[in-house]
Amino acid sequence: MNEEQRLASQQVKQPKPEKDYSSYFERVVTAAPSLKDAKKRGKEEVKYHKDFAIDEEFLGMGQGRKFYIRTYGCQMNEHDSEVMAGIFTQLGYEPTHLIEEADVVLLNTCAIRENAENKVFGELGFLVKYKRKNPEMLIGVCGCMSQEESVVNKILTTYQHVDMVFGTHNIHRLPHILKEAYMSKEMVIEVWSKEGDVIESLPKQRNGAIKAWVNIMYGCDKFCTYCIVPYTRGKERSRRPDEIIQEVRDLAAQGYQEIMLLGQNVNAYGKDFADIEYRLGDLMDELRKIDIPRIRFTTSHPRDFDDHLIEVLAKKGNLVEHIHLPVQSGSNDILKIMARKYTREHFLDLVRKIKAAIPDVALTTDIIVGYPNETEEQFQETIDLYREVGFETAFTYIYSPREGTPAAKMQDNVPLEVKKERLQRLNAVVEEFSSAALKKYEGEIVEVLVEGSSKKRDDVLAGYTRRNKLVNFAGPQELVGQIVKVKILEAKSYSLRGEFVEIVNRHEVEV
Ligand code: 5AD
Ligand code: SF4
């Protein structure tokens, strides 16, 4: 049996979920989600809107009102929340950290695994009591979960205190959606299942003044068989280089010290440009010339990670020596069923190239255990690969079936207990490697970007090294926002403890 036949044999035909929008009757539905439509690629052209502006009719809508946003999931979602906070602020709303004070509560949700969704449903249940106390409060659900038909149906039937549901492509429509919700008092649903546009000049209310997120591309076309993201975030579309470079320059001028470039699959950056040949390596080569101490990016896909990018990252300067490179599995059979489009050998070869060019690189990864029908041998191959690469740490997950994805239709013969036990065994290896990686720093002097006080004590400062290691040390608050040298005294389980040496002078950027 070849791989395709095997894959097919693992798929069990399931009855198609019936699309029943009758319950939408009397609701304000401008668009309802459809996973089927969200799967389409290439039919619609990406529109590039350069001049987002809030219509005058909406200005002042938030006067005397407060908003509260709770964000779940990845950094892309965190950044979307910053955009929504920017829109709220332009409308005249003020932020609050207290739900009871809020006039609008938004849950910016994540659909990547079932437990992420359960947290949101739990929170929605919890919000009923606030709504009873203050019936004028608007409650909204946005983010990846609102792109799923089943979630929207569940909200319609079970969580009728929700006032608005809007999708990841509808963020810029927030002023319209709010107005509609104030006027109609019925649940407003606006979820476009389109391939997606690129919208520039959106306002942003950033969460901090030291590190900033910058989107470089949106969406994902990889369609790994377990992943819901290509359905919830639309097709791959890149922002133009000049827009990104300008945004990073502006952030540098405002005093930001570190930029995290964001995309679901940043190595596909530029693939969609019809008029220029310009990829992530080219972008990084320009960004490294900007006078800002650190630039990172997330998240990478091994398949599109090209030699030019490695060459550019090896120039270092403000490009840090940390690469997050999700491998997902060390077994060729599983990688094939996951449709990752690379082999174990390809991955190891890529790691060899990266290490040869950047010998002090810190590699971290994501791994899924308990994929449908994963055997003990296939799991062992993942453990062996982990050891061979020597990842410094990893995010590890038990596979979670996502409705609408090909893997959700596969029959699975691995009991949950076995999956849990595999996760524990993998985590033991991850811990072994992460403590060994930390131990190496004892006695060394490292550069730390000081972000604030440690969670436990005000007089202990905390920050990260270029290779993303958390460091705590005693020092005055004036050091917050600066890059300092710290001598490492002790490696703890998940962090380093050190003593302050000196402030690093204005970063020398190699050009
Ligand atoms: N089940 C478990 N983990 C998943 N991830 C993505 N989809 C799933 C799923 N259905 C993990 C992958 C990815 C990370 C962001 O989340 O490891 O890299
Ligand atoms: Fe999901 Fe794969 Fe795209 Fe990552 S590359 S977002 S895992 S489909």
Side-chain angles (χ1 to χ4, degrees):
M1 207 191 286
N2 69 28
E3 285 306 325
E4 258 119 3
Q5 288 164 326
R6 212 158 64 122
L7 182 57
S9 75
Q10 279 170 318
Q11 298 183 359
V12 178
K13 233 182 153 48
Q14 283 194 344
K16 277 219 168 97
E18 248 174 60
K19 229 194 234 176
D20 175 13
Y21 292 140
S22 58
S23 55
Y24 287 24
F25 192 58
E26 286 185 16
R27 316 277 175 186
V28 182
V29 184
T30 33
S34 153
L35 283 179
K36 205 165 129 234
D37 290 349
K39 218 188 307 190
K40 292 181 190 149
R41 287 293 185 267
K43 305 251 164 62
E44 258 175 67
E45 207 169 286
V46 170
K47 292 194 188 75
Y48 207 91
H49 308 267
K50 276 193 78 119
D51 42 8
F52 172 86
I54 291 177
D55 235 64
E56 260 180 40
E57 64 166 310
F58 301 119
L59 296 176
M61 183 201 270
Q63 223 59 59
R65 288 173 166 154
K66 292 185 176 168
F67 72 94
Y68 172 100
I69 306 177
R70 176 161 295 181
T71 313
Y72 299 82
C74 67
Q75 306 187 28
M76 187 70 79
N77 254 18
E78 294 280 356
H79 189 45
D80 283 349
S81 290
E82 292 184 335
V83 171
M84 291 189 284
I87 297 177
F88 273 121
T89 306
Q90 285 203 350
L91 292 173
Y93 288 84
E94 270 180 52
T96 175
H97 294 294
L98 300 170
I99 298 182
E100 52 268 38
E101 268 188 21
D103 299 283
V104 185
V105 174
L106 285 189
L107 303 188
N108 189 6
T109 64
C110 169
I112 199 98
R113 281 171 292 276
E114 194 185 352
N115 59 4
E117 295 202 345
N118 288 343
K119 275 190 218 156
V120 171
F121 287 125
E123 183 65 22
L124 277 180
F126 182 69
L127 287 176
V128 173
K129 72 169 194 217
Y130 291 99
K131 184 81 177 181
R132 276 202 199 110
K133 257 194 227 150
N134 175 13
E136 295 301 305
M137 173 191 268
L138 288 185
I139 297 177
V141 177
C142 55
C144 286
M145 277 171 73
S146 45
Q147 296 291 142
E148 297 177 274
E149 293 157 51
S150 57
V151 167
V152 174
N153 279 328
K154 187 165 169 178
I155 292 174
L156 277 164
T157 50
T158 319
Y159 300 95
Q160 290 180 352
H161 57 293
V162 170
D163 302 280
M164 310 170 276
V165 180
F166 59 98
T168 57
H169 303 299
N170 305 72
I171 287 176
H172 65 291
R173 299 260 315 152
L174 183 57
H176 300 79
I177 294 163
L178 283 167
K179 187 176 174 197
E180 201 74 66
Y182 283 125
M183 284 183 4
S184 77
K185 295 290 173 201
E186 286 285 352
M187 201 186 297
V188 176
I189 299 164
E190 189 183 292
V191 183
W192 294 341
S193 300
K194 54 193 281 168
E195 296 170 5
D197 291 342
V198 176
I199 301 169
E200 293 294 351
S201 323
L202 285 164
K204 285 158 204 161
Q205 193 72 44
R206 295 188 186 270
N207 272 332
I210 301 171
K211 303 206 288 192
W213 289 301
V214 172
N215 280 124
I216 64 166
M217 63 179 300
Y218 305 94
C220 181
D221 286 349
K222 279 280 181 282
F223 287 99
C224 300
T225 49
Y226 51 83
C227 190
I228 192 79
V229 169
Y231 308 83
T232 62
R233 289 280 175 177
K235 84 168 169 192
E236 284 172 358
R237 54 218 192 269
S238 307
R239 287 181 70 196
R240 301 295 295 190
D242 49 335
E243 297 280 354
I244 299 167
I245 293 164
Q246 194 52 50
E247 186 172 351
V248 174
R249 281 209 184 109
D250 291 346
L251 291 164
Q254 288 165 40
Y256 281 90
Q257 301 289 301
E258 182 173 307
I259 302 295
M260 175 66 95
L261 304 173
L262 296 179
Q264 248 79 39
N265 170 16
V266 290
N267 300 87
Y269 176 75
K271 264 187 166 180
D272 53 322
F273 293 146
D275 56 336
I276 46 170
E277 194 49 53
Y278 193 95
R279 303 298 301 274
L280 185 60
D282 301 303
L283 180 67
M284 298 307 278
D285 209 17
E286 290 202 57
L287 293 178
R288 76 186 178 84
K289 295 171 192 155
I290 297 176
D291 190 10
I292 193 157
R294 290 181 180 181
I295 300 183
R296 304 180 185 273
F297 58 88
T298 198
T299 196
S300 288
H301 191 292
R303 157 100 179 192
D304 296 325
F305 210 111
D306 61 45
D307 292 350
H308 182 228
L309 176 62
I310 299 176
E311 210 177 284
V312 171
L313 295 179
K315 296 180 188 173
K316 296 196 175 181
N318 59 6
L319 309 181
V320 299
E321 6 344 84
H322 170 222
I323 301 173
H324 186 66
L325 196 58
V327 65
Q328 313 299 358
S329 168
S331 149
N332 277 338
D333 292 341
I334 297 289
L335 287 172
K336 181 112 192 183
I337 300 169
M338 286 177 163
R340 291 289 289 174
K341 302 184 184 77
Y342 57 82
T343 59
R344 174 193 176 90
E345 293 71 31
H346 171 98
F347 188 85
L348 287 171
D349 199 44
L350 174 62
V351 166
R352 257 189 300 276
K353 279 197 266 183
I354 293 173
K355 285 184 176 173
I358 314 163
D360 55 347
V361 72
L363 293 172
T364 57
T365 197
D366 291 347
I367 292 176
I368 297 175
V369 302
Y371 211 61
N373 311 313
E374 181 191 58
T375 64
E376 173 60 25
E377 292 69 37
Q378 289 166 338
F379 169 68
Q380 272 304 330
E381 287 183 77
T382 299
I383 299 266
D384 292 348
L385 178 118
Y386 197 95
R387 290 188 179 283
E388 191 167 338
V389 174
F391 290 113
E392 295 207 350
T393 192
F395 295 112
T396 56
Y397 311 100
I398 289 182
Y399 164 68
S400 169
R402 308 282 66 218
E403 193 185 313
T405 62
K409 299 188 195 96
M410 292 177 196
Q411 231 171 9
D412 186 2
N413 63 12
V414 191
L416 184 60
E417 280 318 302
V418 173
K419 296 184 191 225
K420 284 187 182 163
E421 188 258 347
R422 282 185 194 157
L423 184 69
Q424 274 180 6
R425 275 153 66 204
L426 173 62
N427 284 345
V429 177
V430 171
E431 275 183 28
E432 177 194 324
F433 275 77
S434 53
S435 40
L438 289 171
K439 199 89 190 147
K440 278 194 298 201
Y441 286 101
E442 284 183 343
E444 298 279 307
I445 290 178
V446 293
E447 274 185 23
V448 178
L449 169 57
V450 188
E451 291 180 23
S453 304
S454 107
K455 274 190 196 142
K456 290 179 206 145
R457 285 177 52 181
D458 277 356
D459 57 340
V460 174
L461 301 179
Y464 286 85
T465 67
R466 289 169 63 92
R467 301 164 88 219
N468 217 31
K469 298 282 173 282
L470 175 61
V471 179
N472 291 309
F473 64 99
Q477 286 291 323
E478 294 84 79
L479 295 180
V480 173
Q482 309 228 40
I483 296 193
V484 301
K485 285 192 178 160
V486 174
K487 179 160 187 203
I488 301 304
L489 304 174
E490 187 192 1
K492 305 272 216 182
S493 309
Y494 301 102
S495 63
L496 299 166
R497 187 177 66 79
E499 64 185 7
F500 172 67
V501 178
E502 61 181 356
I503 294 176
V504 176
N505 284 328
R506 193 85 191 109
H507 196 82
E508 296 273 311
V509 181
E510 290 169 39
V511 183

